[in-house]
Amino acid sequence: MAKKVDQFEKFRNATLGSGSALSGALSGALGATQEAKETRQAKAAPAAVAARKSKNADRRLVSFHIDNATFIKLGQLKFDTGSKYDELYNEAIIDLLKKYHRL
């Protein structure tokens, strides 16, 4: 059986093999890229030590259904007070927990 010639290997050797102009250009570019990468890593090292804590690290995302009429009234309250839905939901939950002496 005849030995198969891998066309990719043939192309790679022709373009990137030793002594070709393309090979020299790429190896020079790779060297510069490696230097730039090392410089970026050296600059980023202090930032990696001081990891930031997410503002949502101690929070939980929940979802629930609200009937349309209640949601419209809540939207009007949001507009009137200049609050966010998140603030109104949290306030309502805190009031509910106080009502049932859980807080």
Side-chain angles (χ1 to χ4, degrees):
M1 182 178 245
K3 184 178 178 183
K4 291 186 179 180
V5 176
D6 186 9
Q7 294 299 320
F8 178 74
E9 287 294 326
K10 186 176 177 183
F11 174 75
R12 188 175 67 148
N13 288 334
T15 55
L16 300 176
S18 62
S20 72
L22 182 59
S23 174
L26 288 177
S27 65
L30 291 176
T33 304
Q34 183 65 21
E35 291 171 6
K37 184 177 178 183
E38 290 172 359
T39 304
R40 277 186 264 131
Q41 287 175 345
K43 289 179 181 177
V49 173
R52 283 184 11 187
K53 182 180 175 186
S54 171
K55 70 176 185 175
N56 294 322
D58 59 342
R59 296 167 49 123
R60 183 174 298 236
L61 178 65
V62 295
S63 68
F64 49 91
H65 295 279
I66 301 176
D67 61 279
N68 288 333
T70 304
F71 187 72
I72 289 170
K73 290 177 185 176
L74 186 66
Q76 291 169 343
L77 178 64
K78 175 185 169 293
F79 178 76
D80 292 341
T81 61
S83 301
K84 298 178 184 177
Y85 283 116
D86 187 55
E87 294 168 355
L88 294 173
Y89 294 147
N90 285 320
E91 181 181 345
I93 291 169
I94 289 169
D95 289 345
L96 186 65
L97 291 171
K98 285 180 183 177
K99 176 182 176 182
Y100 288 103
H101 308 289
R102 303 287 183 190
L103 188 65

